[in-house]
Amino acid sequence: MARTIQSLERAAAMLRLLAGGERRLGLSDISSSLGLAKGTAHGILRTLQQEGFVEQEAASGRYQLGAELLRLGNSYLDVHELRARALVWTDDLARSSGEAVYLGVLHQQGVLIVHHVFRPDDSRQVLEVGAMHPLHSTALGKVLSAYDPVAHSEVVEAEREAFTPRTVTGLGDVEGLLDLARARGWAADVEETWEGVASVAAPIHDRRRMPVGAVGITGAVERVCLDGELRPEIIAAVRDCARAVSRDLGAGRF
Amino acid sequence: MSETPTTSSHGHGPFIAAIDQGTTSSRCIVFDKDGRIVSVDQKEHEQIFPKPGWVEHDAAEIWTNVQQVVDSAVEKAGITAADVKAIGITNQRETTVLWDKNTGEPVHNAIVWQDTRTDALCKELGRNVGQDRFRRETGLPLASYFAGPKIRWLLDNVEGLRERAERGEILFGTMDSWVIWNLTGGVNGGHHVTDVTNASRTMLMNLHNLQWDQKILTSMEIPAAVLPEIRSSAEVYGEAAGGVLAGVPVASALGDQQAALFGQTCFNQGEAKSTYGTGTFMLMNTGHEPVNSYNGLLTTVGYRIGDQQPVYALEGSIAVTGSLVQWMRDQMGLINSAAEIETLASTVEDNGGAYFVPAFSGLFAPYWRSDARGVIAGLTRYVTKAHIARAVLEATAWQTREITDAMTKDSGVELTALKVDGGMTSNNLLMQTISDFLDAPVVRPMVAETTCLGAAYAAGLAVGFWSSTDELRANWRRAAEWTPRMDAATRDREYKNWLKAVERTMGWLDDES
């Protein structure tokens, strides 16, 4: 039999004990039920409390199960929920930047577009919800790969196709771009996926600071860039939008 | 090729402030000249349920909230009265309040549009003719929503009120009148006015001359002395008498659905908008003549700008749309959040043969069958909860189709595109399904707050902030468009099945009560 970790077994036993009915238990109840020294039991409870799995009632000092346990059960953020929360902010981003807005999440080995706001001119445009974009070359993909470890391992393992002469495909170079994205809090794609097209994206975080998606604008390179540089007001607008959606999802200010 | 995008229009005045006095809350939104939102404030008020079927609001609480949200929205925008060119009003329709002219105190809680206490009274008022007794004059069937019978109920049931009303001490208003009267000074010279759209929901206004109808007033035993003056939807009624916006012209009033029609810039005959919330309201601009409905729709005033010709509309409503999704979440527990309906429905390709007709309190437009109750038809062992989720979304789409069909029959105008707004427009699958079922494009505008925007637009036109409806149209931006992808044969087969399911809801209740 494989070796087990005693303190984890004890923690599990405590959670089971607290889960037995709608009850709150004091430290001595818990330690005597499990045959533990009070000090040992207290150490485990304090750790569980820090992780949010156990809560202590202020008045009586008794322990009960914590809200984090519930969240573990349904931690996955529904992408349609994400779109509903992002709707107002992405509309505003399209208005202020004058460009099309995309919201993407990691799906299999790429970026799934879950929301798309048209560029606010009267030109004919087609809704691209449901389309897949590559991880290594797009702004959305780079943001996801920089912040989400699962996306990161996908981009490392993937065959990184060169879509244009500007596509960065070497692993070391891609890692460099992801480091830069993490350091700046945003990523760009200037003609690395499509000729003549540039985009800027920033990460969306949920309540627990987990990266749940990325939002960005995409437009003609001559509008998004000025004298070969990305326009700073567009970068600022994208980051404001990402922060606003994150705040709506319950992430703290940052 | 394109002009430089502006990244910050915020902070450059002037502005328009719009007040939306809604069913659950009051809001104030400050808009800039491009129609972009500068700031918002919102406050909910109490829903009072004295008996089953009765719904009331405290009008005094509402007025306090309106003042607060205006102050707060203006403060958040960091502006002053000098930066605000006009105030526009939009409101929950039909909700009725009577108040004392001399004290400004409401004589009773406001009776909300959803309140059904006047059901029996409406039957009685129909006499031998039935619910269409006043339809030719007012465009409306005798139903408990409308304000006229609510006034009559108050006059009959509040002690001494009829005598005071006849002595000219009592004023009636829908929420637009209540807000404008208070905003322009209340007991100190407040203007007692309403606009044509709100007046068209009282059942007391003649649609053809836009005046109170003396015959109907007599039939309903309502003294003309309580009634406000009927004005256009976009003109200066007076100036705000106090608060942070003192001195700013109060320059528009529109019922909420008409305001959304205006905000969606449906200024041409045949243009229509549909607002998807708890329920759904669709309005179609029918031009300068009221169109009688023979297919269960309402005829109403769309808007009137100053002394221009009035614009009329046909209206169809779906009682249960967003609330069906809530029912799936709260009563059935099949989903955890409203947005998840799309996730669940997207796990299957089609409805698996299941059809859900949510006639929870009968069938509304175009059937008007109160003996109907909801059904899920076509069940087999193959059907999963995902198919039911799909059927839930399809129910909203088919009901939209039934209303557009009725509108086409009544108006003779084919719908070219449907402009949508409201919370459910974030549901991509629903929007695609509506487009598939209508066989027409479905278009979402970039500003979701079309109701407030409509009130702002009308106020801005009245004071010359915007020059014309053409200028407003140029402000309209398409945020998304869904185009039909369903082949005609599939659509026809599915519609037939839906209609069969609808048939199965009828006659469930034995006696219509």
Side-chain angles (χ1 to χ4, degrees):
Chain A
M1 200 178 123
R3 277 180 51 181
T4 56
I5 298 168
Q6 194 184 35
S7 56
L8 277 177
E9 285 176 342
R10 286 171 171 173
M14 273 179 198
L15 292 175
R16 281 198 202 93
L17 189 65
L18 289 165
E22 293 277 319
R23 54 184 172 172
R24 301 193 181 97
L25 298 173
L27 176 59
S28 46
D29 303 328
I30 295 171
S31 54
S32 61
S33 309
L34 299 178
L36 296 173
K38 267 193 184 181
T40 310
H42 186 244
I44 295 171
L45 280 167
R46 213 177 42 208
T47 310
L48 288 172
Q49 195 182 352
Q50 265 171 15
E51 295 297 326
F53 294 148
V54 157
E55 286 167 7
Q56 190 176 19
E57 199 187 43
S60 64
R62 287 164 177 264
Y63 293 92
Q64 63 188 57
L65 292 182
E68 192 61 27
L69 278 173
L70 289 174
R71 289 182 197 138
L72 270 186
N74 51 33
S75 63
Y76 164 72
L77 176 74
D78 189 284
V79 295
H80 301 110
E81 183 77 37
L82 177 61
R83 182 200 299 134
R85 300 293 187 101
L87 202 66
V88 201
W89 306 110
T90 47
D91 276 5
D92 199 59
L93 177 58
R95 276 250 175 182
S96 65
S97 66
E99 300 296 344
V101 174
Y102 296 85
L103 184 66
V105 299
L106 175 69
H107 180 66
Q108 292 165 354
Q109 287 82 46
V111 183
L112 173 68
I113 301 302
V114 296
H115 183 48
H116 171 198
V117 184
F118 289 171
R119 186 174 63 248
D121 53 25
D122 265 339
S123 65
R124 215 68 205 160
Q125 294 164 71
V126 176
L127 206 59
E128 291 174 44
V129 172
M132 290 291 291
H133 290 181
L135 277 174
H136 67 282
S137 64
T138 60
L140 293 172
K142 287 180 206 171
V143 165
L144 292 173
S145 306
Y147 286 88
D148 180 344
V150 182
H152 184 257
S153 64
E154 293 291 354
V155 87
V156 167
E157 286 163 22
E159 203 176 306
R160 293 174 295 275
E161 191 183 335
F163 302 106
T164 75
R166 298 187 60 157
T167 312
V168 177
T169 55
L171 184 57
D173 297 334
V174 170
E175 291 284 20
L177 287 177
L178 300 184
D179 286 341
L180 183 64
R182 270 186 293 267
R184 297 199 292 201
W186 55 274
D189 161 11
V190 181
E191 298 191 271
E192 291 163 54
T193 313
W194 300 282
E195 298 277 2
V197 173
S199 36
V200 178
I204 296 172
H205 293 97
D206 72 359
R207 184 168 27 78
R208 285 168 295 168
R209 302 292 320 263
M210 295 291 287
V212 291
V215 64
I217 61 96
T218 295
V221 66
E222 60 271 22
R223 289 197 308 266
V224 178
C225 298
L226 189 69
D227 303 328
E229 294 289 326
L230 292 156
R231 291 157 53 100
E233 64 272 24
I234 285 187
I235 297 169
V238 167
R239 298 189 72 192
D240 280 348
C241 176
R243 274 189 283 259
V245 179
S246 301
R247 268 201 305 277
D248 253 11
L249 292 170
R253 281 175 186 277
F254 52 92
Chain B
M1 79 175 228
S2 75
E3 48 186 23
T4 312
T6 52
T7 44
S8 156
S9 69
H10 295 189
H12 303 290
F15 305 97
I16 300 285
I19 298 170
D20 177 4
Q21 201 304 293
T23 306
T24 56
S25 69
S26 302
R27 309 203 296 156
C28 179
I29 301 186
V30 176
F31 290 95
D32 69 9
K33 190 143 187 178
D34 294 332
R36 284 183 66 192
I37 294 172
V38 179
S39 66
V40 185
D41 197 51
Q42 174 164 354
K43 192 159 190 218
E44 295 195 357
H45 54 261
E46 193 189 350
Q47 305 292 316
I48 304 164
F49 305 106
K51 290 186 188 181
W54 291 29
V55 190
E56 299 179 350
H57 291 159
D58 175 354
E61 180 194 2
I62 284 178
W63 169 236
T64 306
N65 289 359
V66 166
Q67 291 170 281
Q68 281 178 8
V69 296
V70 169
D71 288 359
S72 162
V74 169
E75 191 196 322
K76 280 184 193 173
I79 57 176
T80 65
D83 303 315
V84 179
K85 292 299 154 203
I87 303 169
I89 316 279
T90 178
N91 57 288
Q92 52 169 323
R93 303 179 301 175
E94 298 123 11
T95 295
T96 298
V97 61
L98 293 180
W99 69 94
D100 187 309
K101 189 186 204 166
N102 299 309
T103 66
E105 300 283 332
V107 299
H108 188 275
N109 278 337
I111 303 183
V112 178
W113 58 277
Q114 300 142 322
D115 188 298
T116 55
R117 79 184 65 183
T118 53
D119 268 345
L121 176 61
C122 286
K123 282 221 171 77
E124 187 190 315
L125 288 168
R127 291 206 305 210
N128 51 346
V129 186
Q131 64 172 12
D132 285 340
R133 182 176 170 201
F134 304 121
R135 194 187 263 272
R136 200 161 45 90
E137 296 83 1
T138 65
L140 308 173
L142 267 163
S144 60
Y145 298 120
F146 306 113
K150 293 184 199 291
I151 304 175
R152 163 74 178 272
W153 188 94
L154 287 165
L155 292 172
D156 287 351
N157 289 277
V158 178
E159 177 129 10
L161 191 60
R162 179 170 292 282
E163 293 70 29
R164 290 165 68 195
E166 273 158 7
R167 283 200 300 271
E169 296 167 15
I170 300 296
L171 301 178
F172 149 77
T174 39
M175 298 318 284
D176 55 317
S177 303
W178 171 245
V179 170
I180 294 171
W181 186 80
N182 279 294
L183 202 53
T184 56
V187 292
N188 301 310
H191 296 274
H192 188 218
V193 297
T194 188
D195 94 296
V196 283
T197 67
N198 279 294
S200 76
R201 315 298 290 193
T202 58
M203 275 204 107
L204 303 175
M205 186 186 79
N206 189 304
L207 273 183
H208 305 273
N209 62 17
L210 306 179
Q211 298 298 317
W212 299 119
D213 188 303
Q214 195 50 56
K215 266 199 196 143
I216 299 176
L217 291 177
T218 309
S219 306
M220 288 205 200
E221 298 172 37
I222 293 171
V226 302
L227 300 173
E229 185 187 346
I230 300 175
R231 305 277 287 267
S232 80
S233 317
E235 63 175 285
V236 176
Y237 310 122
E239 288 182 354
V244 292
L245 293 184
V248 176
V250 181
S252 77
L254 287 153
D256 50 12
Q257 298 305 327
Q258 282 89 341
L261 185 76
F262 208 86
Q264 286 271 28
T265 65
C266 294
F267 299 132
N268 285 344
Q269 189 173 350
E271 289 187 306
K273 72 90 203 176
S274 196
T275 303
Y276 291 90
T278 311
T280 290
F281 291 88
M282 190 188 308
L283 269 76
M284 179 195 253
N285 179 328
T286 61
H288 298 305
E289 292 297 326
V291 171
N292 285 325
S293 177
Y294 300 96
N295 293 285
L297 304 172
L298 307 180
T299 307
T300 196
V301 182
Y303 58 88
R304 181 180 197 180
I305 302 169
D307 53 12
Q308 297 176 21
Q309 276 186 290
V311 168
Y312 292 90
L314 279 170
E315 173 173 327
S317 54
I318 311 173
V320 179
T321 51
S323 55
L324 181 58
V325 176
Q326 289 164 4
W327 181 85
M328 289 284 283
R329 182 192 63 197
D330 302 336
Q331 257 91 329
M332 294 293 105
L334 291 175
I335 45 174
N336 289 313
S337 72
E340 266 183 49
I341 191 83
E342 185 175 356
T343 313
L344 184 55
S346 300
T347 60
V348 288
E349 288 295 307
D350 56 32
N351 60 22
Y355 299 83
F356 194 154
V357 188
F360 290 163
S361 44
L363 284 170
F364 290 64
Y367 302 100
W368 299 104
R369 289 283 297 258
S370 54
D371 62 339
R373 284 300 178 268
V375 299
I376 302 177
L379 293 180
T380 60
R381 283 194 66 174
Y382 173 73
V383 170
T384 65
K385 62 179 179 178
H387 294 119
I388 302 290
R390 195 126 191 152
V392 159
L393 297 181
E394 291 185 354
T396 293
W398 283 128
Q399 288 175 282
T400 303
R401 165 74 186 264
E402 291 181 322
I403 288 178
T404 56
D405 282 359
M407 284 182 173
T408 302
K409 277 186 210 155
D410 282 333
S411 68
V413 181
E414 201 72 51
L415 187 76
T416 48
L418 182 66
K419 292 179 170 179
V420 295
D421 50 65
M424 285 182 99
T425 55
S426 74
N427 190 317
N428 206 59
L429 180 60
L430 174 63
M431 294 301 117
Q432 182 61 52
T433 308
I434 293 172
S435 174
D436 287 343
F437 289 1
L438 296 184
D439 196 22
V442 167
V443 189
R444 181 176 79 80
M446 210 157 267
V447 174
E449 303 291 348
T450 52
T451 304
C452 273
L453 186 62
Y457 277 173
L461 280 180
V463 298
F465 183 71
W466 287 292
S467 60
S468 66
T469 51
D470 287 343
E471 189 185 348
L472 299 180
R473 205 186 269 285
N475 259 347
W476 194 89
R477 294 280 181 282
R478 185 187 290 114
E481 177 168 350
W482 294 267
T483 47
R485 290 186 201 151
M486 184 176 263
D487 66 272
T490 310
R491 178 167 41 244
D492 292 348
R493 185 191 69 225
E494 289 295 308
Y495 196 17
K496 223 181 250 170
N497 287 342
W498 162 261
L499 293 172
K500 279 198 288 190
V502 168
E503 224 166 82
R504 277 155 180 77
T505 66
M506 297 184 195
W508 179 259
L509 294 193
D510 290 329
D511 55 341
E512 273 201 43
S513 57

